[in-house]
Amino acid sequence: MRRLLLVEDNELNRDMLSRRLKRRGYEVLLAADGLRGVALARHAMPDVILMDMSLPEVDGWEATRRLRADLATQAIPVIALTAHAMPGDAEKAMAAGCDDYDTKPVELARLLGKIDALLAPAGPGRERKEAGCRRD
Amino acid sequence: MLTGRGSIQTKLIVILVLTAVATALAACLGLAFFEFRGFRASLSSDMRSIAQIVAAGSQAALTFGDTKAASETLAMLKAEPRVAAGCSYGADGKLIAQYVAQGRLTCPGHSPPFPHEGFAADHFYLTRPIELDGQRIGSIHLICSLNEMYARLTRFGAVAVAVLGGSLLFALLISTQIQKVISHPILQLAETVMTVSARGDYTVRAGKLAEDEIGVLVDRFNGMLERIQAQDEALRRAHDETEARVVERTRELQMEIVARKKTQAELERAKNAAEEANRAKSAFLAHMSHELRTPLNAVIGYSEMLVEEGEDRGQHWADEDLRRIGGAGRHLLTVINDVLDISRIEAGRMECQIEPVNIRSMIDAVVNTAEPLARRNGNRIVAECRTVRASMPADVVKFRQSLLNLLSNACKFTENGSIWLEVDETEERGAPWLRWSVRDTGIGIAPAHAEKLFRPFSQVDSSTTRKYGGTGLGLAISQRFCQLMGGRISFESEAGKGSTFRIHMPAEPAAEESGARPPAGERD
C-alpha cells in the first residue's frame, strides 16, 4: 500500500483530504505542523508527501528544505498543496525543493494524477530533483 | 635733430632759428660782397683820376727831364693817404722819380708795361702813359695799399657777427613764442590721446584752436572719439543688459530648480505612496485569496466527499444538494480568480507569455472542455478550421481562457441549439490576422445592452445572473487578455436569434508591436 504523508494545519482539510485519499487506497499519515511533518517523514519514510505551505512552527518551504537537506528524506517526492495561488507561488514552492505544486481548493482527480506521476518508478522528475538536491 | 628724437617744440624752434640765421647770414654775405665790389670800383676809379692828374702834372717835368719837379709833382700824392707809392718813368722806361708813403711797397726799377692796372694780394697797382701832343714821353705807376679795405671788411665782419648773434637771439625769442601756434594744438591733441588711452575715457574731447589742418585733425579725432564713445556705450549697455538677463535667468533657473526639486520630492513621495499602496493591495489580494481558498477547500472537498461516501453506502438522497454546495463553492472560486485577474489587469501587473500556440490543439482542447457544458443544455459544438497555419503567437493560458469563456457563454445562453467554432484568416492593415468566431443560436443580446458587455460586473441584467450564473467578469477579462496579446474581441448579435463573438489575433509575431508585449509585471 502506498503511504502518503499529509502535512496540514487546518483540521477540516486534514480530515477531509485524508478520508478521500484513504478511500482511494492510500495509507495516509498526518502531521499538523512542519516540525512534526519532517520528523514523521524521517521516521515513517512515506512514498509521497503532500505539504501545506502556511504551517505553524516550521512553514512548508522550510520543512521541504530540511527534507531535501537530509540524506534519509531527500529522495521523497513532495507536492506543495497550498492556498497560495498567486503568480510566482508555484516557482517559490519549486525553489524550496518541491517536485510539484497544486492549489486549494483541491481538485482530487488532478491531485491524484500528480501523485501517480511521482509514484511511477524511475520517473524523470526524480532524476532531476536529485540533481537539484546536490546543487543545494 | 629734425627727424629723430626731440619734442616738436624743439624742432620748430630749431627750424625757425635756422631760417632766421640763414637769412641774416645771406644778407650779410650779400652786403659784404657788394661793399667789397663797390670799394674796389671806387678805388680804381679814384686812382685813375689821380693818375691822370699826376700824369698831367708831370708832363713838363718829364719833357724837360726835371727830376726834382717830377718828385715834387709826385709828392702831391701825400694828400691821398691810400696811395702807398708813386713812380715816374721816362720814355725809355727808367725810373725818374718816386714817392713812397710808408711800408715795404716801393717802385719797381723799370716801368711795368702800360696801360695796366690790377689787384695784388695787399695792394692795387696802376700804370698809365704820360703823353704830350699824342707822343709818349713817359709813364706813371701808382701803388695803392688795400689795408683800409681790409680794415673796413674786418669792421663789417664784426658788425655782421653782431647782427647774426642778435638775430639768432631774436629768432630764438620769437620762435619760442611762435612755435606754440603749431605745437600747442598738437600737444593738446597728444595729451587728449594719452588721456583717452590711459583712462579709457571716450567722453574727453580735444580742444580746437584754429581752422587749419590741425583743426581738421582735431575734428576728425573728435569724430572718431564720438563713434568710439557711442560704440563703447552700446557695448556697455549690451553688456549690462546681458548681465542683467543672466542674473534674471539665473534667478529664474534657481527658482525653477527649487520648484522642480519640490515637484520631484512630491512625485517621489507620491510614487512611494503609490508603490506602498500597490504593495498593500497585492498583499491584501494574496491574503484574501489564501484565506478564502482554505475554507473553500473544505466546502468543496466535503461536498464531494459526502457524495463519494454516500455512494459507498448506497445512499444518494443528498447527492443533488451536495453537488449544489460544490457548484456554489466552485462558483465562488471562479469569482475569486476573476477578481484577482481583473485587479491584476487594472494594476497593469498582468503578464503575457507570447509563444507559438498550436491552432488545432487549441481547438481540440477547448471543444473537449466545453463539450460537457454544451451537452447539459442539449447543444452541439461544431468546430471548423479554415486556415492552413499551424500556429499563432499568443499566451496559451490566456487565449484558452478567453476562447473557453466565449464557448461556455455560448453554451450557457443557448438551449437545444448549435454552437460553431470557426477559425479563418483575415487581413488587417496589410498583415495577416486570424479570426476565431464563436457563433450560437441562443437568446442573443439586445443592442441596448451591447455597450455594457465588456464592463466588469455587468451581466446584461441581474436576472441573468440568477438564471445562468457567472460572475459578470468573464468577457471583461477575456477582452483585456486579448488586448494584452495584441488582439481584441468583437461581437454581433440579434436578440432572440443568437450571437457571434470573435477573437481577432495577429497571425504572425509583431516585430515592434508594443501591444503584443507583456507589460512589466510583479515579481514575487
Side-chain angles (χ1 to χ4, degrees):
Chain A
M1 198 191 293
R2 295 297 193 178
R3 180 183 286 178
L4 305 179
L5 168 59
L6 174 61
V7 188
E8 165 70 78
D9 65 324
N10 183 292
E11 199 191 332
L12 291 179
N13 286 331
R14 204 165 57 225
D15 174 62
M16 180 273 292
L17 199 55
S18 62
R19 281 163 69 181
R20 295 185 81 183
L21 289 169
K22 278 176 188 160
R23 184 176 168 269
R24 279 165 176 78
Y26 293 101
E27 179 190 353
V28 182
L29 304 174
L30 298 171
D33 63 62
L35 217 52
R36 280 186 232 173
V38 173
L40 193 53
R42 213 173 278 154
H43 175 70
M45 292 303 288
D47 294 298
V48 172
I49 300 172
L50 303 176
M51 180 76 78
D52 188 16
M53 288 291 141
S54 297
L55 290 170
E57 305 296 336
V58 166
D59 67 27
W61 297 283
E62 177 56 27
T64 308
R65 274 191 285 271
R66 288 187 187 182
L67 291 171
R68 288 290 171 246
D70 190 331
L71 272 176
T73 56
Q74 72 172 14
I76 304 174
V78 176
I79 299 176
L81 192 59
T82 173
H84 290 285
M86 303 299 277
D89 283 336
E91 288 79 1
K92 200 176 160 193
M94 303 305 261
C98 294
D99 297 82
D100 210 338
Y101 164 90
D102 206 355
T103 57
K104 294 177 189 171
V106 169
E107 204 175 292
L108 196 66
R110 193 174 64 201
L111 179 61
L112 290 173
K114 288 181 176 179
I115 292 170
D116 285 347
L118 287 170
L119 285 173
R126 289 309 317 136
E127 298 297 327
R128 201 173 58 240
K129 184 39 70 191
E130 273 161 16
C133 287
R134 278 195 293 278
R135 211 169 45 235
D136 288 344
Chain B
M1 191 175 194
L2 289 178
T3 53
R5 287 169 169 276
S7 73
I8 193 159
Q9 285 172 304
T10 316
K11 286 173 184 170
L12 279 171
I13 290 169
V14 168
I15 288 167
L16 287 170
V17 169
L18 278 180
T19 310
V21 170
T23 311
L25 190 63
C28 287
L29 286 175
L31 278 174
F33 180 71
F34 282 111
E35 178 74 18
F36 183 64
R37 283 274 302 269
F39 187 87
R40 279 184 21 158
S42 74
L43 183 68
S44 54
S45 156
D46 288 355
M47 286 307 128
R48 264 182 235 122
S49 309
I50 290 168
Q52 221 154 7
I53 293 163
V54 173
S58 302
Q59 271 175 346
L62 284 179
T63 308
F64 301 106
D66 185 351
T67 310
K68 197 183 166 203
S71 294
E72 281 169 1
T73 306
L74 286 177
M76 289 191 308
L77 291 172
K78 201 180 273 181
E80 177 50 71
R82 285 178 291 184
V83 176
C87 320
S88 299
Y89 298 94
D92 53 356
K94 282 189 176 153
L95 181 66
I96 294 171
Q98 67 173 339
Y99 159 78
V100 176
Q102 85 268 350
R104 46 193 178 80
L105 294 167
T106 54
C107 291
H110 201 267
S111 170
F114 54 90
H116 187 63
E117 62 179 67
F119 284 88
D122 58 347
H123 63 279
F124 174 75
Y125 62 90
L126 176 143
T127 312
R128 284 284 181 272
I130 300 170
E131 290 172 340
L132 187 65
D133 302 332
Q135 197 174 347
R136 185 174 297 153
I137 54 169
S139 65
I140 185 163
H141 181 71
L142 291 180
I143 297 172
C144 186
S145 168
L146 291 178
N147 283 349
E148 194 198 337
M149 189 186 81
Y150 285 126
R152 279 185 71 168
L153 275 176
T154 307
R155 275 199 308 279
F156 192 89
V159 169
V161 166
V163 165
L164 279 174
S167 72
L168 185 110
L169 279 174
F170 189 66
L172 204 60
L173 211 64
I174 298 293
S175 68
T176 311
Q177 295 306 314
I178 287 178
Q179 57 83 22
K180 286 180 183 165
V181 173
I182 308 282
S183 68
H184 183 61
I186 293 178
L187 287 176
Q188 208 180 28
L189 187 61
E191 201 174 328
T192 311
V193 172
M194 294 274 277
T195 309
V196 168
S197 68
R199 283 196 266 148
D201 181 2
Y202 298 109
T203 58
V204 177
R205 289 290 176 276
K208 186 177 173 185
L209 299 173
E211 287 291 342
D212 54 6
E213 285 86 343
I214 293 175
V216 171
L217 184 63
V218 167
D219 280 344
R220 296 274 157 84
F221 180 70
N222 283 343
M224 196 175 77
L225 274 181
E226 232 155 74
R227 279 201 303 280
I228 291 175
Q229 188 187 354
Q231 285 170 359
D232 193 47
E233 272 166 22
L235 263 178
R236 187 163 305 148
R237 264 201 308 280
H239 179 260
D240 289 351
E241 272 172 36
T242 310
E243 198 145 307
R245 239 180 293 162
V246 165
V247 167
E248 174 67 14
R249 187 69 191 124
T250 308
R251 206 172 53 81
E252 281 175 17
L253 279 175
Q254 277 166 347
M255 281 166 65
E256 212 174 302
I257 287 167
V258 168
R260 280 199 187 170
K261 275 188 182 158
K262 207 173 141 198
T263 313
Q264 200 179 352
E266 279 166 10
L267 280 173
E268 190 76 19
R269 270 198 298 280
K271 180 172 159 272
N272 288 341
E275 280 175 355
E276 185 52 45
N278 236 330
R279 267 196 296 277
K281 192 178 164 190
S282 291
F284 170 76
L285 285 172
H287 193 68
M288 186 204 73
S289 162
H290 183 264
E291 293 307 308
L292 290 174
R293 278 167 200 276
T294 304
L296 261 184
N297 189 37
V299 170
I300 297 168
Y302 271 107
S303 68
E304 288 177 356
M305 191 191 78
L306 285 174
V307 174
E308 289 165 9
E309 292 185 351
E311 197 178 307
D312 294 346
R313 297 189 191 110
Q315 295 173 343
H316 295 285
W317 58 270
D319 284 4
E320 188 61 26
D321 292 340
L322 288 170
R323 285 204 178 89
R324 280 182 185 145
I325 294 172
R330 270 186 288 273
H331 178 69
L332 186 53
L333 182 62
T334 314
V335 174
I336 293 167
N337 286 334
D338 285 358
V339 167
L340 287 177
D341 278 349
I342 279 286
S343 63
R344 270 202 291 270
I345 288 170
E346 284 177 355
R349 286 164 181 262
M350 184 57 79
E351 289 179 57
C352 245
Q353 292 286 327
I354 304 288
E355 55 194 348
V357 171
N358 187 290
I359 293 168
R360 294 205 169 266
S361 306
M362 176 60 67
I363 294 170
D364 292 345
V366 294
V367 169
N368 273 338
T369 312
E371 198 76 59
L373 207 57
R375 272 200 302 274
R376 201 177 299 167
N377 279 356
N379 299 317
R380 63 184 184 108
I381 299 179
V382 183
E384 195 178 343
C385 182
R386 288 199 287 262
T387 177
V388 291
R389 287 177 188 278
S391 65
M392 64 167 197
D395 180 312
V396 65
V397 175
K398 292 184 176 58
F399 186 79
R400 190 197 294 124
Q401 188 175 328
S402 304
L403 188 58
L404 211 48
N405 178 255
L406 298 188
L407 271 175
S408 62
N409 279 349
C411 294
K412 255 191 275 182
F413 297 108
T414 308
E415 277 177 35
N416 301 319
S418 298
I419 292 139
W420 287 273
L421 170 60
E422 292 158 353
V423 185
D424 54 4
E425 212 163 310
T426 58
E427 200 186 272
E428 283 188 29
R429 297 187 293 272
W433 280 55
L434 286 171
R435 186 171 60 181
W436 298 67
S437 309
V438 176
R439 185 156 53 88
D440 65 50
T441 55
I443 59 171
I445 300 157
H449 296 134
E451 63 178 52
K452 290 202 291 183
L453 215 53
F454 293 102
R455 277 194 224 146
F457 296 111
S458 63
Q459 277 189 334
V460 168
D461 57 49
S462 49
S463 64
T464 316
T465 314
R466 280 196 299 279
K467 186 175 175 188
Y468 297 102
T471 61
L473 289 168
L475 271 178
I477 292 169
S478 299
Q479 177 71 293
R480 303 299 289 274
F481 276 180
C482 290
Q483 285 167 353
L484 279 173
M485 291 184 287
R488 67 179 188 284
I489 299 179
S490 70
F491 83 100
E492 54 193 57
S493 181
E494 204 177 320
K497 292 206 172 164
S499 316
T500 306
F501 281 80
R502 293 193 178 94
I503 298 181
H504 306 261
M505 290 288 293
E508 284 167 8
E512 299 295 326
E513 195 84 42
S514 60
R517 292 235 191 100
E522 75 176 335
R523 296 277 181 276
D524 289 36

